[in-house]
């Protein structure tokens, strides 16, 4: 059996091979501007998840202090909405190494996840302004924005500088595999939407956090929880306020 370090090196080398052989696009980090995070990041556990048993997690917008990322030189911020998330889709074999934890760059991953969510919903004909605000972002730029977000976390010293991790991660999100996810067939928007039962638990825990999503989908989540006389089954597993840290 291969040693874990050997596997980790192989994973990184596979990314490099992708760049050289398969034509994966890369990002010039030296010329990436830093942006600015503001607001509060909240991630909640809502169940045990699939067969892997890793848990099912939801990014939850703080109704009083929405998480946002503003790119350098761009005035319109990216403001993620409620969505399922696994942080960064990092292979388990490299997760023990610094910079490769799926939640290590969580704010950047939430921004990137939301761009994909908006793209799929626009492809499915959804006209909500929150989605249309992302309409001009193409696949390559989605990777650039992830790079800028990671660069911002490093520049603000919220995470340690790690050139290997940021190169490997951004190369992965511009790989043919990621491109296939971006180009998914119609129907992804509704299929990937947070289930009503999870929206109710989230609303119980963070009142007002599902208002925008419920309006989009014509679900009266707030009414459905008014008579509930128990604590939420959803659990906050991560909360970060950037306005206090930056």
């Amino acid at each position: 059996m291969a040693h874990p370090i050997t596997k980790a090196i192989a994973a990184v080398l596979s990314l490099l091979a992708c760049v050289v052989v398969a034509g994966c696009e890369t990002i010039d980090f030296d010329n990436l501007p830093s942006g600015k995070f503001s607001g509060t990041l909240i991630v909640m556990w809502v169940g045990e998840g699939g067969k892997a048993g890793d848990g099912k997690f939801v990014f939850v917008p703080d109704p009083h202090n929405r998480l946002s990322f503003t790119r350098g030189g761009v005035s319109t911020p990216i403001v993620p909405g409620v969505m399922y998330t696994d942080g960064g889709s990092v292979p388990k074999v490299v997760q023990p190494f610094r910079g490769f934890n799926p939640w290590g760059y969580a704010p950047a991953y939430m921004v990137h996840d939301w761009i994909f969510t908006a793209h799929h919903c626009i492809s499915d004909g959804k006209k909500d302004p929150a989605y249309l605000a992302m309409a001009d972002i193409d696949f390559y730029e989605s990777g650039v924005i992830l790079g800028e977000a990671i660069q911002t976390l490093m520049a603000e010293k919220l995470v340690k500088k790690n050139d290997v991790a940021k190169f490997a991660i951004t190369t992965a999100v511009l790989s043919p595999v990621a491109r296939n996810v971006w180009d998914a067939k119609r129907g992804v928007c509704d299929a990937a939407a947070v289930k009503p039962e999870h929206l109710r638990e989230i609303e119980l825990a963070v009142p007002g956090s599902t208002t925008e999503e419920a309006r989009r989908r014509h679900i009266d989540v707030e009414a459905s929880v008014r008579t509930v006389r128990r604590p939420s089954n959803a659990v906050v597993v991560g909360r970060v306020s950037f306005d206090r840290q930056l």
Side-chain angles (χ1 to χ4, degrees):
M1 180 179 292
H3 191 280
I5 294 178
T6 303
K7 289 183 177 180
I9 293 172
V12 174
L13 289 177
S14 69
L15 287 173
L16 295 176
C18 178
V19 174
V20 175
V21 178
C24 290
E25 297 182 273
T26 58
I27 294 172
D28 181 5
F29 272 97
D30 291 338
N31 292 317
L32 280 187
S34 293
K36 177 179 175 58
F37 279 102
S38 62
T40 300
L41 178 149
I42 302 174
V43 174
M44 302 193 76
W45 174 89
V46 294
E48 63 181 350
K51 294 180 180 179
D54 293 337
K56 199 163 192 69
F57 302 93
V58 179
F59 167 77
V60 180
D62 185 327
H64 307 295
N65 196 22
R66 295 283 296 271
L67 176 73
S68 70
F69 177 66
T70 304
R71 304 174 67 187
V74 179
S75 59
T76 303
I78 297 172
V79 185
V82 63
M83 59 185 169
Y84 289 121
T85 180
D86 61 356
S89 300
V90 180
K92 290 182 182 295
V93 69
V94 297
Q95 289 182 14
F97 298 91
R98 186 167 68 85
F100 292 94
N101 183 287
W103 300 102
Y105 306 130
Y109 294 143
M110 298 307 102
V111 169
H112 187 256
D113 283 356
W114 180 247
I115 293 171
F116 267 63
T117 295
H119 169 72
H120 289 145
C121 289
I122 292 171
S123 296
D124 283 354
K126 309 295 184 181
K127 302 296 184 182
D128 192 272
Y131 301 144
L132 295 178
M134 305 288 102
D136 292 335
I137 298 174
D138 61 19
F139 173 70
Y140 178 74
E141 192 173 8
S142 74
V144 172
I145 292 172
L146 175 61
E148 291 175 2
I150 294 176
Q151 190 89 314
T152 299
L153 294 174
M154 292 181 180
E156 296 293 344
K157 296 181 170 47
L158 294 171
V159 298
K160 292 182 179 179
K161 185 177 179 181
N162 188 328
D163 292 336
V164 172
K166 67 183 183 183
F167 172 78
I169 290 167
T170 52
T171 299
V173 300
L174 290 175
S175 69
V177 173
R179 181 79 206 207
N180 287 338
V181 175
W182 179 268
D183 292 336
K185 295 180 180 179
R186 292 175 64 90
V188 173
C189 183
D190 289 338
V194 178
K195 295 179 179 179
E197 58 266 32
H198 290 154
L199 289 176
R200 287 192 290 271
E201 297 302 327
I202 293 165
E203 184 65 25
L204 269 175
V206 186
S209 60
T210 67
T211 301
E212 183 180 299
E213 180 71 3
R215 174 191 56 76
R216 268 196 291 265
R217 294 164 59 187
H218 308 291
I219 305 172
D220 196 346
V221 178
E222 293 179 3
S224 70
V225 303
R226 285 193 193 108
T227 59
V228 177
R229 299 289 183 258
R230 62 167 174 78
S232 172
N233 290 324
V235 179
V236 175
V237 294
R239 183 190 293 264
V240 177
S241 178
F242 286 93
D243 297 330
R244 287 200 296 267
Q245 292 195 33
L246 297 184

